[in-house]
Amino acid sequence: MVPQGEGAAAREVPAAPTAADLVLARDRLLGRGSSRSLRSEPSGAVHQAGRLGPDVLREALTDLHEFWLTVHAAQAGIGSDTTGIALVAVGGLGRRELVPYSDLDLVLVHDGKAGGRVEKVAEQLWYPLWNSGVGLDHSVRTVSEAISVASDDLRTATGLLDARHLAGDADLTRQLADSAREAWRTGVRRRVDDIAASARARWQRSGEVAHWVEPDLKHGRGGLRDLALLDALALAQLVDRPSGEVSQARRLLLDTRTELRRIAGRPRDVLMPQDGDEIASVLGIGDRFALARALSGAGRAVAYALDVAFRAIQPSRQARRMLGVLRRQPQRRPLAEGVVLSGDEVTLARDVDPGKDPGLLLRVAAAAARTGRPIAPGTLSRLGESAPEPRAPWPADVRQELVSLLGAGEGLIDVIEALDRTGLWARLFPEWGAVRDLPPRDAAHVWTVDRHLVQATANAAKLVTRVSRPDLLLIGAVLHDIGKGRHQDHSVVGAALAKQVGERLGLAAPDVATLSAMVRHHLLLPHTATRRNIEDEATVKRVVDTLDGDPVLLELLHALAEVDSLATGPGVWTDWKASLVADLVARARRLMAGERHEPPAPLTDEQRSLAERVAASGTPDVIISADRSYATITLVAPDRPGLLSRAAGVLALHSLKVHAAELRSHAGAAVDVFSVSPRFGSLPDAALLREQFTRAVTGSLPLADKLAAKERDYASEQDDPPEPRILWFDDEADGGADSKDVVLELRAADRLGLLHGVADALERCGANVLWARAMQVGGTAISSFSLANTTGDTTNKTWRTQVEQAVLTTC
């Protein structure tokens, strides 16, 4: 502390703890540090009787950093009797919500009369923190300078609303805080459009807390930044203080962010699935799936509250309201029977009785989705109180309103969100409860299951002109994963639920059967196209038989495969996958029409000619032909065992992703045809590929060593890789049930040299690979191999066990 004035007995300031002491004490609070304690620490600041809860930890971190800052401020000459200069906390430190590894948001405010003293004090405070790696967001300003910056910078303006005094001139801090809040209250209406635009840009970058598999707890829509905006708008008295539901959401988001950073040991705001179980256990929520659902609900509550706030304060709405007052009635435009557009919101006509009109709810929803306007909160409340559930079977006009809603495209998403939050969507679809906020178990999905269904339906609206039954496509899209979350095969459970829903909607019996079959077989086309040989007649016949030869069902499943993949995540619906599915559908359609099956395409003249030259010369050669985003690479060599593994290894060295392999022969030469696409970059030079393939075949290329080195260089970290799994399919090889061959399907974590390793293992077990298919789902590779056993029968259990053990050791 500094001397207490003229004539007072000077007292020595105790030795200040260093910034290194601060870091050690912080790490002790987080359970990471040594036993060394912070000198002169406040009583109980770092004492741990077990693990601190997240709220207690935030308080302790705040007290710890505040103690260090006040002691150092005193050492720098800023004491309780100092005038003209003050140290002020803003942001998380100002709110006393300091989470682990947060930056310290500080303002050194002065009256402009301190001269060079301010810079000296700043250096004494900032440099020790920088040198110890403590994050710092700082500024040195007068009150007028701070307010001027805040008038142009929204982040500064909202940050100053949390200003809290730490040291020095308390009156100066009070002046800063009061001025910032007054400037905010008087100027916020002029900034509403900027506030909303800034928030939407942030959401575009960071996604949503609700529905996202990897939510950004701070910046995502419905996250902590949005809570800060709600607080700021409430401070300006533009909206009410956040409700109890929003307050509970704040606590969950803060606690989760606290534990995420404690576990990670560094600043992190994006919650990964592999972190969920430990955080859920600490918070007493169960497992990561329960935590994900809780966070999704919290994000929904915050996002909805901010949406309502923005609608209430947008200048355009205020202007319309003023015009409405002057005209003594608001502008109202009819949208449908009993539904009007009032200002910017969809609401009910004055004389409508929701309790007597079972189709009103869907007319309101369809009108809102069609116009892109939100449903007024009062209308949602009134519908929630009195709108009846349509009696089964639904009348045709009510069912048509549902189809109109589902066909609205992107406008559908916010409307279903509003209906679901108020319990109205569950009134229409009670089966929805099991998938609401349900996190997916497949790493390729970016959305929760409910949002995935809605997104798929929005995608389906773009394809309604491609199918003869657009109504069934839309209803099938919104139901195709409805069986998830019930611990059984979701396609089987979903088919039964779809039948139940179809009957309730009043669909004709044949349509109910088609809808149920859509849900039951929604994975049939993409799985068959990417994992089996679609040139084999038995494969196509199996698809046709599964669909009972129904071309309408085939058409619907083709469209559903596309919209489902597009709604799963980026890179799931590729040109390669689209072409395979389209080829399979075309073959199945011809078979349904009684046309003759088209046999596999023979080798081209160029491939046969090359094979003959290679057989004569004994020198391997290659052909590269590019087609759109993927290419066909033909590798030809004298026929001998082990060629597939060598070829796959060379392709992996060039970072090529193999989608399919056809292994044929001609004139005594092996002709291995690969469909590939670059993982990154472009296709390799043919001369280099030829040289390396030749060396791999002759054994002069240390293929295993080079692949291992490349995998080390390019390996992607996968914290929670899936356990590898092998499945056998006895009746899905070429020729169907009469074939002596078998299909082995491997599901394992993807890596650059996986196909090389698996092919080598199969070759060592005496397995002859006839064809291979590979696809990637997130970080998982699903590879299928049609095998013949060169040493005996493919049904031999000993041989299969030997193959499984050899293959699994490569994963």
PDB file of all heavy atoms in Angstrom, residues 643-660:
ATOM      1  N   LEU A 643       0.114 -57.807 -55.936  1.00  0.00           N
ATOM      2  CA  LEU A 643       0.080 -56.571 -56.723  1.00  0.00           C
ATOM      3  C   LEU A 643      -0.866 -55.527 -56.132  1.00  0.00           C
ATOM      4  O   LEU A 643      -0.584 -54.326 -56.179  1.00  0.00           O
ATOM      5  CB  LEU A 643      -0.328 -56.882 -58.168  1.00  0.00           C
ATOM      6  CG  LEU A 643       0.752 -57.481 -59.059  1.00  0.00           C
ATOM      7  CD1 LEU A 643       0.205 -57.758 -60.450  1.00  0.00           C
ATOM      8  CD2 LEU A 643       1.952 -56.534 -59.153  1.00  0.00           C
ATOM      9  N   LEU A 644      -2.002 -55.968 -55.596  1.00  0.00           N
ATOM     10  CA  LEU A 644      -2.964 -54.981 -55.063  1.00  0.00           C
ATOM     11  C   LEU A 644      -2.343 -54.167 -53.939  1.00  0.00           C
ATOM     12  O   LEU A 644      -2.469 -52.932 -53.904  1.00  0.00           O
ATOM     13  CB  LEU A 644      -4.228 -55.683 -54.567  1.00  0.00           C
ATOM     14  CG  LEU A 644      -5.241 -54.757 -53.864  1.00  0.00           C
ATOM     15  CD1 LEU A 644      -5.721 -53.657 -54.801  1.00  0.00           C
ATOM     16  CD2 LEU A 644      -6.427 -55.565 -53.328  1.00  0.00           C
ATOM     17  N   SER A 645      -1.678 -54.817 -53.006  1.00  0.00           N
ATOM     18  CA  SER A 645      -1.101 -54.078 -51.881  1.00  0.00           C
ATOM     19  C   SER A 645      -0.025 -53.108 -52.364  1.00  0.00           C
ATOM     20  O   SER A 645       0.072 -51.978 -51.878  1.00  0.00           O
ATOM     21  CB  SER A 645      -0.516 -55.041 -50.841  1.00  0.00           C
ATOM     22  OG  SER A 645       0.527 -55.822 -51.403  1.00  0.00           O
ATOM     23  N   ARG A 646       0.774 -53.524 -53.338  1.00  0.00           N
ATOM     24  CA  ARG A 646       1.813 -52.634 -53.853  1.00  0.00           C
ATOM     25  C   ARG A 646       1.194 -51.445 -54.587  1.00  0.00           C
ATOM     26  O   ARG A 646       1.632 -50.296 -54.427  1.00  0.00           O
ATOM     27  CB  ARG A 646       2.754 -53.405 -54.795  1.00  0.00           C
ATOM     28  CG  ARG A 646       3.647 -54.419 -54.083  1.00  0.00           C
ATOM     29  CD  ARG A 646       4.473 -55.194 -55.097  1.00  0.00           C
ATOM     30  NE  ARG A 646       5.501 -56.023 -54.474  1.00  0.00           N
ATOM     31  CZ  ARG A 646       5.288 -57.236 -53.994  1.00  0.00           C
ATOM     32  NH1 ARG A 646       4.065 -57.757 -54.058  1.00  0.00           N
ATOM     33  NH2 ARG A 646       6.257 -57.927 -53.440  1.00  0.00           N
ATOM     34  N   ALA A 647       0.191 -51.727 -55.395  1.00  0.00           N
ATOM     35  CA  ALA A 647      -0.469 -50.640 -56.125  1.00  0.00           C
ATOM     36  C   ALA A 647      -1.134 -49.662 -55.157  1.00  0.00           C
ATOM     37  O   ALA A 647      -1.006 -48.434 -55.304  1.00  0.00           O
ATOM     38  CB  ALA A 647      -1.509 -51.221 -57.086  1.00  0.00           C
ATOM     39  N   ALA A 648      -1.835 -50.190 -54.152  1.00  0.00           N
ATOM     40  CA  ALA A 648      -2.498 -49.317 -53.171  1.00  0.00           C
ATOM     41  C   ALA A 648      -1.475 -48.488 -52.407  1.00  0.00           C
ATOM     42  O   ALA A 648      -1.725 -47.310 -52.089  1.00  0.00           O
ATOM     43  CB  ALA A 648      -3.326 -50.167 -52.204  1.00  0.00           C
ATOM     44  N   GLY A 649      -0.326 -49.083 -52.108  1.00  0.00           N
ATOM     45  CA  GLY A 649       0.705 -48.345 -51.393  1.00  0.00           C
ATOM     46  C   GLY A 649       1.268 -47.199 -52.209  1.00  0.00           C
ATOM     47  O   GLY A 649       1.491 -46.094 -51.694  1.00  0.00           O
ATOM     48  N   VAL A 650       1.501 -47.422 -53.493  1.00  0.00           N
ATOM     49  CA  VAL A 650       2.018 -46.352 -54.354  1.00  0.00           C
ATOM     50  C   VAL A 650       1.002 -45.227 -54.479  1.00  0.00           C
ATOM     51  O   VAL A 650       1.354 -44.047 -54.442  1.00  0.00           O
ATOM     52  CB  VAL A 650       2.395 -46.925 -55.741  1.00  0.00           C
ATOM     53  CG1 VAL A 650       2.714 -45.790 -56.713  1.00  0.00           C
ATOM     54  CG2 VAL A 650       3.579 -47.870 -55.620  1.00  0.00           C
ATOM     55  N   LEU A 651      -0.273 -45.568 -54.637  1.00  0.00           N
ATOM     56  CA  LEU A 651      -1.311 -44.534 -54.716  1.00  0.00           C
ATOM     57  C   LEU A 651      -1.371 -43.730 -53.414  1.00  0.00           C
ATOM     58  O   LEU A 651      -1.551 -42.508 -53.437  1.00  0.00           O
ATOM     59  CB  LEU A 651      -2.667 -45.178 -55.008  1.00  0.00           C
ATOM     60  CG  LEU A 651      -2.799 -45.871 -56.373  1.00  0.00           C
ATOM     61  CD1 LEU A 651      -4.160 -46.542 -56.500  1.00  0.00           C
ATOM     62  CD2 LEU A 651      -2.584 -44.886 -57.511  1.00  0.00           C
ATOM     63  N   ALA A 652      -1.199 -44.415 -52.281  1.00  0.00           N
ATOM     64  CA  ALA A 652      -1.210 -43.714 -50.996  1.00  0.00           C
ATOM     65  C   ALA A 652      -0.026 -42.766 -50.880  1.00  0.00           C
ATOM     66  O   ALA A 652      -0.148 -41.669 -50.301  1.00  0.00           O
ATOM     67  CB  ALA A 652      -1.206 -44.726 -49.845  1.00  0.00           C
ATOM     68  N   LEU A 653       1.133 -43.157 -51.415  1.00  0.00           N
ATOM     69  CA  LEU A 653       2.300 -42.275 -51.378  1.00  0.00           C
ATOM     70  C   LEU A 653       2.021 -40.956 -52.092  1.00  0.00           C
ATOM     71  O   LEU A 653       2.612 -39.926 -51.765  1.00  0.00           O
ATOM     72  CB  LEU A 653       3.503 -42.951 -52.028  1.00  0.00           C
ATOM     73  CG  LEU A 653       4.258 -43.980 -51.187  1.00  0.00           C
ATOM     74  CD1 LEU A 653       5.426 -44.543 -51.985  1.00  0.00           C
ATOM     75  CD2 LEU A 653       4.760 -43.362 -49.888  1.00  0.00           C
ATOM     76  N   HIS A 654       1.113 -40.999 -53.063  1.00  0.00           N
ATOM     77  CA  HIS A 654       0.759 -39.784 -53.801  1.00  0.00           C
ATOM     78  C   HIS A 654      -0.518 -39.142 -53.252  1.00  0.00           C
ATOM     79  O   HIS A 654      -1.133 -38.314 -53.919  1.00  0.00           O
ATOM     80  CB  HIS A 654       0.599 -40.112 -55.286  1.00  0.00           C
ATOM     81  CG  HIS A 654       1.894 -40.448 -55.962  1.00  0.00           C
ATOM     82  ND1 HIS A 654       2.727 -39.485 -56.497  1.00  0.00           N
ATOM     83  CD2 HIS A 654       2.520 -41.628 -56.159  1.00  0.00           C
ATOM     84  CE1 HIS A 654       3.799 -40.066 -57.013  1.00  0.00           C
ATOM     85  NE2 HIS A 654       3.707 -41.364 -56.813  1.00  0.00           N
ATOM     86  N   SER A 655      -0.896 -39.530 -52.034  1.00  0.00           N
ATOM     87  CA  SER A 655      -2.044 -38.937 -51.327  1.00  0.00           C
ATOM     88  C   SER A 655      -3.328 -39.063 -52.123  1.00  0.00           C
ATOM     89  O   SER A 655      -4.159 -38.143 -52.155  1.00  0.00           O
ATOM     90  CB  SER A 655      -1.767 -37.461 -51.009  1.00  0.00           C
ATOM     91  OG  SER A 655      -0.626 -37.325 -50.211  1.00  0.00           O
ATOM     92  N   LEU A 656      -3.522 -40.229 -52.747  1.00  0.00           N
ATOM     93  CA  LEU A 656      -4.735 -40.478 -53.508  1.00  0.00           C
ATOM     94  C   LEU A 656      -5.697 -41.324 -52.679  1.00  0.00           C
ATOM     95  O   LEU A 656      -5.303 -42.326 -52.072  1.00  0.00           O
ATOM     96  CB  LEU A 656      -4.407 -41.194 -54.822  1.00  0.00           C
ATOM     97  CG  LEU A 656      -3.585 -40.370 -55.822  1.00  0.00           C
ATOM     98  CD1 LEU A 656      -3.202 -41.236 -57.019  1.00  0.00           C
ATOM     99  CD2 LEU A 656      -4.354 -39.142 -56.277  1.00  0.00           C
ATOM    100  N   LYS A 657      -6.936 -40.909 -52.647  1.00  0.00           N
ATOM    101  CA  LYS A 657      -7.984 -41.636 -51.937  1.00  0.00           C
ATOM    102  C   LYS A 657      -8.631 -42.607 -52.921  1.00  0.00           C
ATOM    103  O   LYS A 657      -9.142 -42.206 -53.967  1.00  0.00           O
ATOM    104  CB  LYS A 657      -9.020 -40.659 -51.395  1.00  0.00           C
ATOM    105  CG  LYS A 657     -10.131 -41.295 -50.582  1.00  0.00           C
ATOM    106  CD  LYS A 657     -11.195 -40.264 -50.220  1.00  0.00           C
ATOM    107  CE  LYS A 657     -10.621 -39.149 -49.371  1.00  0.00           C
ATOM    108  NZ  LYS A 657     -11.680 -38.175 -48.981  1.00  0.00           N
ATOM    109  N   VAL A 658      -8.615 -43.895 -52.602  1.00  0.00           N
ATOM    110  CA  VAL A 658      -9.174 -44.919 -53.487  1.00  0.00           C
ATOM    111  C   VAL A 658     -10.644 -45.125 -53.148  1.00  0.00           C
ATOM    112  O   VAL A 658     -11.003 -45.414 -52.006  1.00  0.00           O
ATOM    113  CB  VAL A 658      -8.405 -46.253 -53.356  1.00  0.00           C
ATOM    114  CG1 VAL A 658      -9.076 -47.338 -54.192  1.00  0.00           C
ATOM    115  CG2 VAL A 658      -6.957 -46.068 -53.793  1.00  0.00           C
ATOM    116  N   HIS A 659     -11.502 -44.984 -54.171  1.00  0.00           N
ATOM    117  CA  HIS A 659     -12.932 -45.215 -53.991  1.00  0.00           C
ATOM    118  C   HIS A 659     -13.334 -46.622 -54.443  1.00  0.00           C
ATOM    119  O   HIS A 659     -14.245 -47.213 -53.861  1.00  0.00           O
ATOM    120  CB  HIS A 659     -13.735 -44.189 -54.786  1.00  0.00           C
ATOM    121  CG  HIS A 659     -13.420 -42.773 -54.430  1.00  0.00           C
ATOM    122  ND1 HIS A 659     -13.841 -42.197 -53.248  1.00  0.00           N
ATOM    123  CD2 HIS A 659     -12.710 -41.814 -55.071  1.00  0.00           C
ATOM    124  CE1 HIS A 659     -13.415 -40.937 -53.194  1.00  0.00           C
ATOM    125  NE2 HIS A 659     -12.722 -40.691 -54.281  1.00  0.00           N
ATOM    126  N   ALA A 660     -12.680 -47.113 -55.486  1.00  0.00           N
ATOM    127  CA  ALA A 660     -13.030 -48.438 -56.000  1.00  0.00           C
ATOM    128  C   ALA A 660     -11.818 -49.023 -56.706  1.00  0.00           C
ATOM    129  O   ALA A 660     -10.957 -48.297 -57.212  1.00  0.00           O
ATOM    130  CB  ALA A 660     -14.217 -48.344 -56.965  1.00  0.00           C
TER     131      ALA A 660
END
